[in-house]
């Protein structure tokens, strides 16, 4: 099994005719993702690569193809409306790749999504992958290996680096999810830890946090109180100076909150291992699943 997406997911790509949308749709199809529809206003009736029908709206795509999962590749100004359109079409899982969505817009979108049954991942994220079943987003599929470790990360690049080293060490993954580095995102560490706790295919979880915000501290409390499976954490940005934004909009330390030290302390207080290097993270993860 896996979480959020699997081989039965029926995917609609919002922005399928744009540069990123068309490139990554082809990559998702090559991986085996069941892409059943695309959406680009005023291009309804056309076909993508003679394989995927294009519709003017998500509602049209859902009614015609039974799409239940959406991936969004549209410019920042249109991304909030794209998420709302997918929610209104009753899409179950929505993943927004778009970077640069205004925070004020995301506050409104986030508030709306929480009143529905739809699950939002992102924005400003690399997407997710249930290994050998479904790839949703821009992750390089060839570095993944099927196995028992779930991965949740705020950083796309670190996700790739850690997954690659896990795979090279013979440690496969169930589902890997990049939740995004913006201040306001859909699904949090806590939301997805709860999913992994219920997933019989996941034996342990790797959580990759960074400076800024309080998501890691909340995750530590949840793991301590609610998780029966081992979690290994990694916190990036240990040497980042206060007040300086480090790539992600959400990765900024203000005063004494959101520091790497506070996050490491919260994890360790909850009994969670927090290796300093990726090499040690991989070794600790191996021990968590009983590898010798």
């Amino acid at each position: 099994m896996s979480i959020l997406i699997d081989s039965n997911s029926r995917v609609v790509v919002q922005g399928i005719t744009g540069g990123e949308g068309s490139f990554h749709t082809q990559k998702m199809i090559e991986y085996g993702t069941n892409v059943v529809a695309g959406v680009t206003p005023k291009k309804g009736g056309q076909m993508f690569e003679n394989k995927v029908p294009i519709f003017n709206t998500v509602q049209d795509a859902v009614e015609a193809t039974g799409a239940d999962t959406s991936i969004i590749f549209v410019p920042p100004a249109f991304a909030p409306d794209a998420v709302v359109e997918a929610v209104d079409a009753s899409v179950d899982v929505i993943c927004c790749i778009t970077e640069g969505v205004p925070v004020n817009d995301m506050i409104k979108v986030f508030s709306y999504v929480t009143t529905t049954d739809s699950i939002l991942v992102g924005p400003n994220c690399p997407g997710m992958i249930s290994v050998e079943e479904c790839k949703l987003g821009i992750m390089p599929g060839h570095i993944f290996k099927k196995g028992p470790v779930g991965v949740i990360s705020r950083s796309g690049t670190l996700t790739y680096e850690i997954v690659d080293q896990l795979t090279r060490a013979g440690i496969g993954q169930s589902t890997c999810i990049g939740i995004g580095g913006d201040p306001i995102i859909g699904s949090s560490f806590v939301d997805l830890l709860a999913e992994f706790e219920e997933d019989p295919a996941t034996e342990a979880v790797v959580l990759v946090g960074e400076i800024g915000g309080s998501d890691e501290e909340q995750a530590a409390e949840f793991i301590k109180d609610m998780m029966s499976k081992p979690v290994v954490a990694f916190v990036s940005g240990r040497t980042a100076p206060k007040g300086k934004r480090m790539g992600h909009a959400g990765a900024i330390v203000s005063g004494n909150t959101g520091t790497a030290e506070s996050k490491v302390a919260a994890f360790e207080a909850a009994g969670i291992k927090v290796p300093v290097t990726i090499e040690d993270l991989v070794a600790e993860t191996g021990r968590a699943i009983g590898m010798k």
Side-chain angles (χ1 to χ4, degrees), residues 145-208:
K145 169 187 171 70
K146 196 170 186 66
V149 174
V151 178
I152 322 171
S153 173
R154 286 174 66 182
S155 166
T157 307
L158 267 178
T159 304
Y160 310 153
E161 178 64 26
I162 289 170
V163 165
D164 184 56
Q165 294 204 29
L166 287 171
T167 296
R168 290 173 186 271
I171 302 172
Q173 309 90 43
S174 52
T175 299
C176 302
I177 303 173
I179 62 175
D182 280 0
I184 306 294
I185 54 175
S187 296
S188 67
F189 284 132
V190 169
D191 296 328
L192 299 172
L193 286 166
E195 296 275 353
F196 277 127
E197 175 69 10
E198 297 298 321
D199 177 30
T202 300
E203 298 176 14
V205 179
V206 169
L207 186 157
V208 184

Side-chain angles (χ1 to χ4, degrees), residues 23-274:
F23 177 81
H24 290 292
T25 297
Q26 190 62 52
K27 295 298 181 185
M28 289 189 290
I29 292 172
E30 289 172 4
Y31 190 79
T33 302
N34 186 23
V35 179
V36 299
V39 170
T40 299
K42 300 181 180 179
K43 293 191 178 181
Q46 299 182 21
M47 296 289 288
F48 173 78
E49 298 288 327
N50 294 318
K51 300 173 185 174
V52 180
I54 299 174
F55 299 86
N56 288 319
T57 69
V58 178
Q59 187 66 50
D60 290 346
V62 168
E63 290 177 357
T65 68
D68 55 18
T69 303
S70 169
I71 179 80
I72 296 175
F73 295 102
V74 303
F78 305 117
D81 285 345
V83 173
V84 171
E85 184 182 357
V87 171
D88 287 344
S90 299
V91 173
D92 296 332
V93 176
I94 303 161
C95 182
C96 184
I97 301 298
T98 307
E99 180 178 0
V101 180
V103 173
N104 286 342
D105 289 345
M106 271 312 300
I107 292 173
K108 297 172 186 174
V109 169
F110 178 79
S111 297
Y112 180 58
V113 172
T114 56
T115 67
T116 73
D117 293 329
S118 296
I119 296 171
L120 172 64
V121 174
N124 190 17
C125 75
M128 65 188 90
I129 184 167
S130 287
V131 183
E132 297 181 7
E133 296 191 54
C134 182
K135 180 169 93 87
L136 200 66
I138 64 176
M139 293 181 177
H142 67 279
I143 66 173
F144 295 85
K145 169 187 171 70
K146 196 170 186 66
V149 174
V151 178
I152 322 171
S153 173
R154 286 174 66 182
S155 166
T157 307
L158 267 178
T159 304
Y160 310 153
E161 178 64 26
I162 289 170
V163 165
D164 184 56
Q165 294 204 29
L166 287 171
T167 296
R168 290 173 186 271
I171 302 172
Q173 309 90 43
S174 52
T175 299
C176 302
I177 303 173
I179 62 175
D182 280 0
I184 306 294
I185 54 175
S187 296
S188 67
F189 284 132
V190 169
D191 296 328
L192 299 172
L193 286 166
E195 296 275 353
F196 277 127
E197 175 69 10
E198 297 298 321
D199 177 30
T202 300
E203 298 176 14
V205 179
V206 169
L207 186 157
V208 184
E210 62 184 14
I211 60 172
S214 59
D215 284 2
E216 289 80 0
E217 288 86 344
Q218 293 170 21
E221 286 296 312
F222 180 85
I223 293 164
K224 181 177 66 175
D225 296 335
M226 306 299 291
M227 292 285 291
S228 64
K229 299 177 181 179
V231 178
V232 184
F234 184 85
V235 178
S236 66
R238 289 177 185 248
T239 60
K242 292 180 179 179
K244 183 175 178 58
R245 183 167 293 167
M246 305 300 291
H248 286 167
I252 184 170
V253 174
S254 301
N256 293 320
T257 62
T259 64
E261 290 79 8
S262 69
K263 295 173 187 299
V264 171
F267 283 130
E268 291 181 341
I272 301 161
K273 299 286 187 182
V274 194

